Amino acid sequence: FYLNSQMLGSIDTTKSKNQINMNEFINEDDMEFNIIMIHILKGILNEYGIEINPIFKSIGNYLGEYIFFQVYDEDIDRFLSNLSDFWQDNNLGRLSFEIKNTIRITSKNNFESMKSEKIGLPECYINVGIFEEVFSKFFKMGINVNELMCYSMGDEKCLFEIEPSWS
């Protein structure tokens, strides 16, 4: 066991989690600035050797809770259409959906990875967190989200697969 980081924080598991109200932080007029900030933050944290994937997935979960209430409709087709419109209206990319035994989401011009370096690994953990939260709330059950393709892997799109979590 070793730590490889230029900066170390502390871990305190005794502190309670503060519930974040995303409505206080999200201003739709600032969405493009927020996207730039995400890329800068990712780059700096990676540079310092900080494992950011779980943090960004958690950020995605918080964002997903906010987004769910913006796009919810009990009809799945309208729900998916609303989600796609939200994505495009906020310059997050363009979503399309394929529903079979699983749900596959194709994201083109993905805000999280389109301008990223090609590192050979998926890196859309904010997207994963958002989709996990949005679809868990919609289906009222746990789900798993896997990123199968990503711009950062050299692919021409990002592809996510959503399936029920049976655990």
Side-chain angles (χ1 to χ4, degrees):
F1 167 64
Y2 66 93
L3 297 175
N4 182 16
S5 178
Q6 294 177 7
M7 300 177 140
L8 292 176
S10 64
I11 299 174
D12 185 351
T13 58
T14 62
K15 287 186 179 179
S16 64
K17 279 180 135 179
N18 294 330
Q19 194 63 12
I20 297 173
N21 180 357
M22 291 307 296
N23 292 323
E24 295 175 18
F25 297 102
I26 297 176
N27 180 342
E28 292 177 16
D29 296 334
D30 294 335
M31 195 62 78
E32 189 147 334
F33 174 76
N34 293 337
I35 292 168
I36 292 167
M37 206 166 57
I38 287 168
H39 284 283
I40 292 169
L41 186 59
K42 274 184 167 188
I44 290 171
L45 291 174
N46 274 326
E47 190 175 298
Y48 283 102
I50 298 171
E51 174 57 47
I52 60 171
N53 299 343
I55 296 166
F56 279 92
K57 183 175 177 274
S58 181
I59 290 169
N61 290 140
Y62 280 107
L63 289 168
E65 187 171 341
Y66 167 81
I67 291 169
F68 176 77
F69 292 108
Q70 305 300 310
V71 303
Y72 178 73
D73 193 295
E74 62 186 33
D75 178 77
I76 190 154
D77 291 327
R78 284 195 298 267
F79 174 69
L80 295 176
S81 178
N82 293 345
L83 181 58
S84 181
D85 291 346
F86 180 91
W87 223 254
Q88 193 155 350
D89 291 347
N90 289 285
N91 298 315
L92 302 176
R94 288 188 328 272
L95 299 181
S96 59
F97 304 92
E98 177 186 328
I99 302 174
K100 292 187 179 176
N101 292 338
T102 61
I103 297 174
R104 286 193 167 201
I105 302 172
T106 299
S107 179
K108 297 212 173 176
N109 301 326
N110 187 302
F111 76 97
E112 194 171 1
S113 64
M114 187 174 156
K115 296 180 181 176
S116 297
E117 291 182 50
K118 307 296 183 253
I119 59 172
L121 298 168
E123 80 162 28
C124 297
Y125 290 93
I126 294 173
N127 282 261
V128 167
I130 290 171
F131 295 143
E132 181 180 89
E133 190 69 22
V134 164
F135 285 96
S136 288
K137 285 192 173 309
F138 184 83
F139 291 115
K140 296 178 177 79
M141 65 183 293
I143 54 108
N144 292 321
V145 178
N146 297 303
E147 187 172 14
L148 306 175
M149 298 173 76
C150 185
Y151 287 105
S152 67
M153 296 169 62
D155 297 314
E156 295 297 316
K157 62 185 175 186
C158 294
L159 178 65
F160 303 89
E161 184 172 61
I162 296 173
E163 57 190 3
S165 171
W166 301 113
S167 55

